[in-house]
Amino acid sequence: MKSVLVAAAIGLIVSILVTPLAIKAFRRHGFGQEIRDDGPESHLAKKGTPTMGGTVMVLATVVGYLVAHLFLINQEGRGVTATGLLLLFLLIGLGTVGFLDDYLKIRYRRSLGLNKTAKLVGQLVVGVTFAVLALMADDENGTAVATTAVSFVRDIAPLTLPAFLFVALAYVFIAGFSNAVNLTDGLDGLAAGCSAMVFASYVIISFWQFGHDCAGELVDGCYTVRDPLDVTLVAAAAMGACLGFLWWNTSPARIFMGDTGSLALGGLMAGLAIVTRTELLLVVLGGLFVAVTLSVVIQVGFFRATRRRVFRMAPLHHHFELAGWAENTVIVRFWLVTGMAVAFGMGLFYADWLAFAGL
């Protein structure tokens, strides 16, 4: 338990202390955010705010994870694991794709960076590599980092897929959630606050799995998962990094996470769901991200079919802004929605354990 607290604390401390240094450095080099011309007029004042703050979040997560392992160094079987390294690979890989996108926006002074094809190719390379390695990395007990079964709160055996279909599904899942967080990152502190809550839920889920791991005790309700404690450390470090960044990103934001942060965080959420066998549960826990993404899909699809709009503007948070809600009102209410989604998802997870344990 001490190592989990250390991971969260170091992630928080690194993020909250390094972010102001990043603000000064990015401002000095002119790394300012470009704003969409067709967005809400109130956002035009944010033009030039330093971006690419996601670099600090990625750094804080990695440092938090590694420092936490110093408290496990003398404990047999508690070293750095393949699961933890694969999750960090996903975080850093998608963060790199986002960094390239942010850099091109800054260099060419436009609100669009990488084109859609280039971004999807980057996500494809990182996502497929993660999925393939997760299936190949067996431990001494023959347990892989991931399985080919679709999961809700644990694997659904009848929905076991061929390996190539699982890899394709994992890519869609990873790309989908990384883009979902990217779409949600449109208001000060919105994505960071919501992400912190989702990561907190995975701290609880993975630590609960660690305490009820089938490798340790073969009892009803146990979980066949790989390296659950290491997963907890990654989730805790990411949660701390989000909270530390939120200190500077809350309205009025002094820095934005950019695609560097949003793609990395969304991909990490998907990775956590895959390794904890809770893929479909993430749709509940991250319900706000799903709703924001659906608002864009509905808006685009309906407009192409009818030349009319369902929402005043998509993504969803801009619709409420144009409906007259103050930015802070939208943010806090969306945080509340995320909190309720996380609570409901955690309730489903615990109810499943109670049913299997016969309680």
Side-chain angles (χ1 to χ4, degrees), residues 187-191 193-194 197 250-251 288 317 325-340:
L187 302 180
D188 297 351
L190 177 58
C194 294
M197 285 185 264
T250 192
S251 182
L288 179 73
H317 40 273
W325 291 18
E327 180 175 349
N328 283 341
T329 300
V330 178
I331 295 166
V332 173
R333 287 178 178 172
F334 276 35
W335 282 350
L336 291 172
V337 170
T338 300
M340 289 185 283

Side-chain angles (χ1 to χ4, degrees), residues 29-47:
H29 289 89
F31 290 174
Q33 178 71 38
E34 295 297 320
I35 303 297
R36 291 171 51 183
D37 295 330
D38 59 345
E41 291 184 9
S42 60
H43 288 213
L44 296 178
K46 300 180 182 184
K47 184 174 182 178

Side-chain angles (χ1 to χ4, degrees), residues 48-71:
T49 301
T51 188
M52 294 197 298
T55 53
V56 178
M57 305 174 80
V58 172
L59 173 67
T61 302
V62 174
V63 172
Y65 170 81
L66 294 176
V67 171
H69 270 283
L70 296 178
F71 289 79

